[in-house]
Amino acid sequence: MGENDDSEIIEHHVDEAMEKKTSQRSQTRSFLESVTSSERDGHSSTQSSHRLLAYSDALISIIATVMILPVAHTKIGEHEELKESFQLLLATKIAVYLMTFLIVTVAWAAHIRLFQVIERIDDFLALLNLACMMLITFLPYTFTLMATFPENVLGILLFCACVMVIGLIQAAIVIYGFSRPFLLNEQIQISQDQAYFKHHILKVIMRVPIMCLFASIFSFIFFQLSYVILAIVIFLPYIAQSLKWCKAKAIGQPLEDEPDAVLFYTYHPSEPLSKERVEAFSDGVYAIVATLLILDICEDNVPDPITVQEKFGGSLVAALRDYGPEFLAYFGSFATVGLLWFVHHSLFLHVTRASRLMGLFNTFSLAFVGGLPLAYELTTEFRHDPRNAAEAVQASCVILFFAGIFQLAIWVAALFDERQTLHPLVRYGGRDHAFMLAKLALYPCVALGTYFLTCVLSEFSASIFHLMQLAVPVAFLLLRLLVGLSLVLLRALLTALRKTPEGAAAAAEGGGLMEEDEEARVPYSDVVS
Amino acid sequence: MGENDDSEIIEHHVDEAMEKKTSQRSQTRSFLESVTSSERDGHSSTQSSHRLLAYSDALISIIATVMILPVAHTKIGEHEELKESFQLLLATKIAVYLMTFLIVTVAWAAHIRLFQVIERIDDFLALLNLACMMLITFLPYTFTLMATFPENVLGILLFCACVMVIGLIQAAIVIYGFSRPFLLNEQIQISQDQAYFKHHILKVIMRVPIMCLFASIFSFIFFQLSYVILAIVIFLPYIAQSLKWCKAKAIGQPLEDEPDAVLFYTYHPSEPLSKERVEAFSDGVYAIVATLLILDICEDNVPDPITVQEKFGGSLVAALRDYGPEFLAYFGSFATVGLLWFVHHSLFLHVTRASRLMGLFNTFSLAFVGGLPLAYELTTEFRHDPRNAAEAVQASCVILFFAGIFQLAIWVAALFDERQTLHPLVRYGGRDHAFMLAKLALYPCVALGTYFLTCVLSEFSASIFHLMQLAVPVAFLLLRLLVGLSLVLLRALLTALRKTPEGAAAAAEGGGLMEEDEEARVPYSDVVS
């Protein structure tokens, strides 16, 4: 199977795709949707990478969230104080969870970038990618070792070994890809400078494994240093580029004529990230997190037949009543995670291009979402103990607030560069701008409100929390109505004010709250258009 | 927001989509890929359902596989015989797992069908769907109750309650969809008979909840009967239609002018199933199963610092050596599941349309894939105990064999109707036909070979098994080469035989093995074309 044979296949494929495109038009939409690109492209030894990437996203999202399990399974004794247990037992595990989440998403970002260069795959690349995935899924274990035995070099050595092998596999993928140019991104295929691109990309990819090699050598001499090296390797490029970018933005000076970010492997915060893959990754995390509690419930919360006979006189209902809080926690966390997914979904419907900065905020939001089931379990576990209950509810509110506020941050980051990233309808002053803002602001506002209410009325914290859980889905259902109503009211108010010029000036000054301010401008543009 | 307003939005959207389509042509492929349909459609209150369905698929695939966890966590004592433990401890759990998998996939098939009628969604439908998902994810728990307390009606009542509520929500989705026709499948939108379709679909959907209502009433009188009713409700339509279809196929009589299956909610085995969703569901299952063991490893296999100090003299490496088998099992099962995914991926690249029968075989294959991690764990756990080791290896081989053979069955089912379901290249006599067959046959053949080898050489079963694990990835890498070589050899043989007419006749008779037979015909068509 020489190269000649392969390029023939490609030509054949292209002709076929063209043919299909013209014939498709006449067919129904439902059929059109089922004709995925993988199907159009899949008739030769090279394939569209679509499904490979979807599978990789699924694997990586599971691995990113897996370290929440040890956190969630930390059992707290009945008579201990919640606060102390938190500090003593959970701190390390939470740190491991967050570290894993961060590092795995960095690996995921590198994977996105690699497969933005290699756009088509064949069997060999698919198998190489699977080997790469196997090593990525092993990373969380090395972190657990590092956290449990911080003085032992084994954890860091294992981590470095994994990263080095991942780097070598990625380099092999790049070299293989460039040896069969029809697998590459079209822009690179067209360009005359393929050798230059290849060397540049290999240089960027190999930087990390080489630094890891140094880190693993240093770990025998002075192991604290290797932690520092690793931190530098992983985060420095991002931080340095972000600072440079922020400085340029702050001064207002235009960035030096940016080369195409995809091809040059930069770390610009405005670098485009495949929107499809951000969605797939987020879907995976939301799905795992939503079902985390049912995994435990199915395994642990089935009473033993003998216990039921002896303790509850054979009444299964009475036995299950003991598990009531777990079920409540499950439905509560499923609903919350589902609604957060719904907000994310609504936002990304209107995003036309995701940038690296938006991806970062998305990662932070997802990391907090992962903590929700745990918080909800605590909240329902302590419902009979007012003091701990208030603290558990407040912890839930804090997590919920951050999960929501980082979603809002994605939106704000998108607004900064709205011509590139957002659809006109939701841009500043657009028709759906206020509605989107309301959707994104709902959870942070509710979480903040609940937090302060429980501070004041700490005795009723559990009831307040349950009320909030019931109210939020209803609020989402009525949101469009509410936003519409408040816009109509504002419009009426503005028309009334405009009749007296002094009133209009007062209104312009009076819009102190950012939210009201934004909403107030929407009717303006509505009236104008 | 009246209907008038909404239809305006739709018109606007259609214009926009048209405009986009023409302008897209000129742009690069990488950009084209990032412009998903959700983006094109997402600029109004109605949205493409693509991502909602992807998220649902992720949730359902997690739930389908979750009941393998209790099976995998069943600990077997050191001195017990493996066979007995299997019979005593695992039988119920495995039954629950398989039942869950089957029922959840039935629910999933109903979900596919529903959203083949409702093709676009709005916020209200998205929220309704989330509520529906919440109930589906609760189904496994009701099965566990049924299996643990078969004499108690609570399990069956809970199950019926869930199914009834799911049915009501689906009915609500249908009614809402038909009240806003622009959400519907285009064929229904165009048709004059919307009211008829609506009633027909509602009738099919409500059949199940109503039967469940009867089952729950009967459960108080004579609860065995309700199990029978449930089995009838769930499987009868499929079985009846399949028998009818098989009969028609066997007699060779053409089926009575089939109405469009999507619109009429039939249960024909040849009814099309959304290929995209079959892929998404399979990806989810493969991803969860591949990472099942690492979930456990991260949580359970980190040694306690105190134990390391006391038992191993502070040597972490020595402590980890104890966990060696778990790591080996992890890498082994990840590789096997990954390669099975790879085979599935290769097959579906060439599938143009998935039928219900293919979906059924896919479900069976996935159900066996779910058992693999457990089998691999057993295999490595018993490596020092030759007798149990041989049995564990054989169990693994049986599971692997069925996982592979049902993948092959998908392919055979597709070949039966190859004009509808397969791309020309892999059809009987096509260029890649032999290669695809070899890919699909590799795992069943290897599993069968290993099984018989361990029967003969039961003392070396563990070594044989590990050798197999190492050999299979290499075999996949070299498969194209091997198939190419054997085809060249066959061609040479055939040309040699053709020179003597008797030889040709002998060759035509001699091809007893199906595999050789199929491969032998490929060069024929190659030579002809």
Side-chain angles (χ1 to χ4, degrees):
Chain A
M1 300 267 146
E3 292 216 351
N4 201 23
D5 188 359
D6 278 329
S7 57
E8 220 178 279
I9 292 167
I10 290 294
E11 268 174 40
H12 167 70
H13 147 73
V14 169
D15 286 345
E16 219 167 55
M18 297 290 265
E19 215 177 279
K20 277 229 168 167
K21 258 190 189 150
T22 47
S23 70
Q24 263 171 9
R25 296 257 154 166
S26 57
Q27 293 173 44
T28 60
R29 217 193 109 96
S30 73
F31 182 72
L32 256 175
E33 270 187 0
S34 78
V35 179
T36 59
S37 62
S38 68
E39 193 187 313
R40 272 206 311 276
D41 304 341
H43 313 136
S44 60
S45 62
T46 65
Q47 311 144 5
S48 151
S49 60
H50 175 77
R51 201 180 154 196
L52 182 82
L53 300 183
Y55 183 59
S56 306
D57 287 340
L59 283 175
I60 296 176
S61 59
I62 294 172
I63 287 308
T65 32
V66 66
M67 294 314 294
I68 199 68
L69 281 178
V71 181
H73 288 175
T74 311
K75 282 283 165 238
I76 296 158
E78 275 293 315
H79 298 290
E80 267 177 292
E81 293 243 325
L82 178 58
K83 229 173 193 170
E84 273 180 48
S85 329
F86 244 89
Q87 288 165 351
L88 291 170
L89 271 154
L90 296 180
T92 332
K93 291 185 175 181
I94 291 176
V96 171
Y97 164 66
L98 290 176
M99 197 158 76
T100 308
F101 205 98
L102 223 57
I103 302 263
V104 169
T105 46
V106 167
W108 171 71
H111 191 264
I112 292 187
R113 172 184 290 187
L114 181 63
F115 282 93
Q116 276 173 343
V117 172
I118 314 272
E119 286 198 336
R120 297 180 60 74
I121 57 161
D122 60 9
D123 287 2
F124 183 66
L125 284 184
L127 293 172
L128 273 186
N129 182 60
L130 283 180
C132 187
M133 281 300 127
M134 191 196 275
L135 288 162
I136 290 180
T137 56
F138 196 66
L139 288 181
Y141 185 74
T142 66
F143 286 117
T144 322
L145 277 187
M146 280 193 225
T148 325
F149 303 92
E151 314 262 303
N152 200 308
V153 295
L154 190 68
I156 207 161
L157 280 182
L158 268 180
F159 175 76
C160 288
C162 281
V163 173
M164 280 189 281
V165 179
I166 293 171
L168 289 177
I169 294 177
Q170 290 195 334
I173 291 176
V174 170
I175 292 171
Y176 184 83
F178 273 91
S179 76
R180 284 161 176 70
F182 50 87
L183 298 173
L184 297 177
N185 181 303
E186 246 181 38
Q187 276 173 280
I188 297 183
Q189 262 187 61
I190 296 164
S191 99
Q192 302 292 319
D193 253 353
Q194 281 193 17
Y196 170 74
F197 280 125
K198 180 177 163 185
H199 286 294
H200 178 77
I201 293 170
L202 278 179
K203 219 169 66 192
V204 175
I205 285 180
M206 291 311 290
R207 212 159 53 192
V208 177
I210 288 168
M211 291 290 273
C212 276
L213 186 67
F214 281 115
S216 57
I217 292 167
F218 268 114
S219 67
F220 288 105
I221 305 161
F222 184 60
F223 69 87
Q224 284 86 343
L225 192 64
S226 26
Y227 285 108
V228 177
I229 295 180
L230 285 183
I232 290 176
V233 171
I234 292 162
F235 298 110
L236 197 68
Y238 294 92
I239 296 167
Q241 278 286 357
S242 308
L243 287 180
K244 218 190 277 176
W245 183 78
C246 288
K247 215 177 95 186
K249 276 261 161 178
I251 304 173
Q253 160 211 349
L255 288 163
E256 65 269 33
D257 206 28
E258 268 182 55
D260 188 322
V262 177
L263 308 184
F264 275 89
Y265 259 61
T266 64
Y267 293 84
H268 285 284
S270 63
E271 186 191 341
L273 223 58
S274 161
K275 180 191 168 230
E276 208 176 31
R277 293 200 63 186
V278 174
E279 286 182 353
F281 177 72
S282 309
D283 280 353
V285 172
Y286 281 114
I288 291 282
V289 172
T291 44
L292 263 185
L293 288 185
I294 201 76
L295 302 192
D296 288 344
I297 285 177
C298 281
E299 201 170 349
D300 304 331
N301 294 1
V302 179
D304 192 38
I306 299 159
T307 322
V308 172
Q309 204 59 49
E310 286 173 0
K311 251 178 98 183
F312 299 97
S315 163
L316 186 56
V317 179
L320 286 184
R321 204 168 289 149
D322 261 18
Y323 297 127
E326 268 92 351
F327 296 125
L328 207 62
Y330 169 64
F331 288 117
S333 82
F334 190 99
T336 309
V337 173
L339 289 172
L340 282 170
W341 174 84
F342 172 71
V343 172
H344 190 273
H345 164 76
S346 305
L347 175 59
F348 271 77
L349 272 179
H350 295 90
V351 166
T352 49
R353 204 176 91 163
S355 71
R356 188 171 281 278
L357 187 65
M358 287 160 72
L360 188 71
F361 287 137
N362 188 40
T363 303
F364 288 153
S365 171
L366 291 177
F368 281 102
V369 168
L372 271 177
L374 167 73
Y376 273 58
E377 217 175 355
L378 287 180
T379 307
T380 37
E381 217 164 77
F382 288 107
R383 71 199 183 289
H384 297 309
D385 176 355
R387 199 173 140 205
N388 280 342
E391 274 167 10
V393 166
Q394 282 164 12
S396 301
C397 289
V398 169
I399 294 178
L400 192 57
F401 176 75
F402 279 109
I405 210 76
F406 278 117
Q407 285 190 331
L408 195 61
I410 303 174
W411 160 253
V412 173
L415 279 176
F416 261 108
D417 204 6
E418 57 181 11
R419 265 160 215 280
Q420 296 281 331
T421 55
L422 286 179
H423 187 266
L425 274 186
V426 292
R427 284 187 202 155
Y428 191 62
R431 200 173 53 89
D432 280 347
H433 182 89
F435 183 50
M436 180 56 72
L437 185 69
K439 260 187 190 170
L440 285 162
L442 186 60
Y443 259 121
C445 291
V446 166
L448 218 61
T450 314
Y451 184 89
F452 286 118
L453 259 181
T454 51
C455 284
V456 180
L457 303 165
S458 60
E459 284 159 54
F460 308 103
S461 52
S463 329
I464 295 172
F465 192 69
H466 292 314
L467 207 71
M468 184 267 270
Q469 278 177 272
L470 285 176
V472 169
V474 179
F476 269 107
L477 275 176
L478 300 178
L479 204 57
R480 192 172 274 274
L481 207 73
L482 289 177
V483 172
L485 240 156
S486 62
L487 284 186
V488 167
L489 279 178
L490 269 170
R491 204 175 300 181
L493 201 71
L494 282 172
T495 341
L497 283 175
R498 208 177 291 164
K499 282 173 188 164
T500 56
E502 301 94 332
E509 276 175 23
L513 278 168
M514 183 229 174
E515 212 173 312
E516 273 194 14
D517 190 32
E518 298 225 9
E519 275 182 355
R521 281 195 203 173
V522 179
Y524 259 110
S525 60
D526 266 20
V527 169
V528 170
S529 66
Chain B
M1 300 260 148
E3 291 220 347
N4 202 24
D5 188 359
D6 278 327
S7 57
E8 220 179 281
I9 292 168
I10 289 293
E11 268 174 41
H12 166 70
H13 146 73
V14 170
D15 286 346
E16 220 167 54
M18 298 289 266
E19 214 178 279
K20 278 231 167 167
K21 258 192 189 149
T22 46
S23 70
Q24 263 171 8
R25 297 256 153 167
S26 57
Q27 292 173 44
T28 61
R29 216 192 110 96
S30 71
F31 182 71
L32 257 176
E33 271 188 0
S34 77
V35 179
T36 60
S37 63
S38 70
E39 194 186 313
R40 272 207 310 275
D41 304 342
H43 313 136
S44 61
S45 62
T46 66
Q47 311 143 6
S48 151
S49 59
H50 174 77
R51 202 181 152 194
L52 182 81
L53 300 183
Y55 183 60
S56 306
D57 287 340
L59 283 175
I60 295 177
S61 59
I62 295 172
I63 288 308
T65 31
V66 67
M67 293 314 295
I68 199 67
L69 281 179
V71 181
H73 288 175
T74 311
K75 281 285 164 235
I76 296 156
E78 276 292 315
H79 298 290
E80 268 177 291
E81 293 242 326
L82 178 58
K83 230 173 193 170
E84 273 179 47
S85 328
F86 244 88
Q87 286 165 353
L88 291 171
L89 271 153
L90 296 180
T92 332
K93 291 186 176 182
I94 290 175
V96 171
Y97 163 66
L98 289 177
M99 198 159 75
T100 308
F101 205 99
L102 224 57
I103 302 263
V104 169
T105 46
V106 167
W108 171 71
H111 191 264
I112 291 187
R113 171 184 292 186
L114 181 65
F115 282 93
Q116 276 173 343
V117 171
I118 314 274
E119 285 197 338
R120 297 180 60 73
I121 57 161
D122 60 9
D123 286 2
F124 183 68
L125 284 184
L127 293 173
L128 272 186
N129 182 60
L130 283 180
C132 187
M133 282 299 128
M134 191 195 276
L135 288 163
I136 289 180
T137 56
F138 196 67
L139 288 181
Y141 186 75
T142 65
F143 287 117
T144 323
L145 277 187
M146 280 193 225
T148 325
F149 303 93
E151 314 262 303
N152 199 306
V153 295
L154 191 67
I156 207 160
L157 280 182
L158 268 180
F159 175 76
C160 289
C162 280
V163 172
M164 281 189 279
V165 179
I166 293 172
L168 289 177
I169 295 177
Q170 290 194 334
I173 290 177
V174 169
I175 292 171
Y176 184 84
F178 273 90
S179 76
R180 283 162 178 71
F182 49 89
L183 297 173
L184 297 176
N185 181 304
E186 246 180 39
Q187 276 173 277
I188 297 183
Q189 262 188 60
I190 295 164
S191 101
Q192 303 291 320
D193 252 354
Q194 281 192 17
Y196 170 73
F197 281 125
K198 181 177 160 184
H199 287 293
H200 178 77
I201 293 169
L202 277 179
K203 218 169 64 192
V204 176
I205 285 180
M206 291 311 291
R207 211 157 53 190
V208 177
I210 287 169
M211 291 289 272
C212 276
L213 187 65
F214 281 116
S216 57
I217 292 167
F218 268 115
S219 69
F220 288 105
I221 305 162
F222 185 60
F223 69 88
Q224 283 86 342
L225 191 65
S226 25
Y227 284 108
V228 177
I229 296 180
L230 285 183
I232 290 175
V233 171
I234 291 163
F235 298 109
L236 197 69
Y238 294 92
I239 296 168
Q241 278 286 355
S242 307
L243 287 180
K244 217 189 279 175
W245 183 78
C246 288
K247 215 177 97 187
K249 277 258 162 181
I251 306 172
Q253 160 211 348
L255 288 164
E256 67 269 32
D257 208 27
E258 266 182 59
D260 189 320
V262 176
L263 307 183
F264 275 90
Y265 259 61
T266 64
Y267 293 84
H268 285 287
S270 64
E271 185 190 342
L273 222 60
S274 161
K275 181 192 168 228
E276 208 174 31
R277 294 199 64 185
V278 174
E279 286 182 354
F281 177 72
S282 309
D283 280 354
V285 173
Y286 281 114
I288 291 282
V289 172
T291 45
L292 263 185
L293 288 183
I294 201 75
L295 302 192
D296 287 344
I297 286 177
C298 281
E299 201 171 347
D300 304 330
N301 294 1
V302 179
D304 191 40
I306 299 159
T307 320
V308 172
Q309 205 58 48
E310 286 173 359
K311 250 178 97 183
F312 300 97
S315 163
L316 185 56
V317 179
L320 286 185
R321 204 168 291 149
D322 262 18
Y323 297 127
E326 269 92 351
F327 296 124
L328 208 60
Y330 168 64
F331 287 116
S333 81
F334 190 99
T336 309
V337 174
L339 290 172
L340 282 170
W341 174 85
F342 172 70
V343 172
H344 190 272
H345 163 76
S346 304
L347 175 59
F348 271 76
L349 272 180
H350 296 88
V351 166
T352 50
R353 203 176 92 163
S355 72
R356 187 171 282 278
L357 188 65
M358 287 159 73
L360 188 71
F361 287 136
N362 188 40
T363 302
F364 288 155
S365 172
L366 291 176
F368 280 101
V369 168
L372 270 178
L374 166 72
Y376 273 58
E377 217 174 355
L378 285 181
T379 307
T380 37
E381 218 164 75
F382 287 107
R383 72 200 183 287
H384 297 309
D385 177 354
R387 195 170 144 209
N388 282 340
E391 274 168 11
V393 166
Q394 282 164 11
S396 301
C397 288
V398 169
I399 295 178
L400 192 56
F401 176 75
F402 279 109
I405 210 76
F406 278 117
Q407 286 190 331
L408 194 62
I410 304 174
W411 160 253
V412 174
L415 279 176
F416 261 107
D417 203 7
E418 58 181 11
R419 265 159 215 281
Q420 296 281 331
T421 54
L422 287 179
H423 188 266
L425 274 186
V426 291
R427 283 187 204 155
Y428 191 62
R431 200 172 52 89
D432 280 348
H433 182 88
F435 183 51
M436 180 58 71
L437 185 70
K439 260 187 188 169
L440 285 162
L442 186 61
Y443 259 119
C445 291
V446 165
L448 218 61
T450 314
Y451 185 88
F452 286 118
L453 258 183
T454 51
C455 285
V456 181
L457 305 164
S458 60
E459 283 160 56
F460 308 103
S461 54
S463 328
I464 294 171
F465 192 69
H466 292 314
L467 208 71
M468 184 267 270
Q469 278 177 272
L470 286 177
V472 170
V474 179
F476 269 107
L477 276 177
L478 301 178
L479 204 57
R480 192 172 274 273
L481 207 74
L482 290 176
V483 172
L485 240 155
S486 61
L487 284 186
V488 167
L489 279 177
L490 268 170
R491 203 173 302 181
L493 201 71
L494 283 172
T495 341
L497 284 174
R498 207 176 293 165
K499 282 172 190 166
T500 55
E502 300 95 333
E509 274 174 24
L513 277 170
M514 182 232 175
E515 212 172 314
E516 272 194 14
D517 189 33
E518 299 227 7
E519 279 183 31
R521 284 197 201 172
V522 179
Y524 260 110
S525 60
D526 264 20
V527 170
V528 168
S529 65

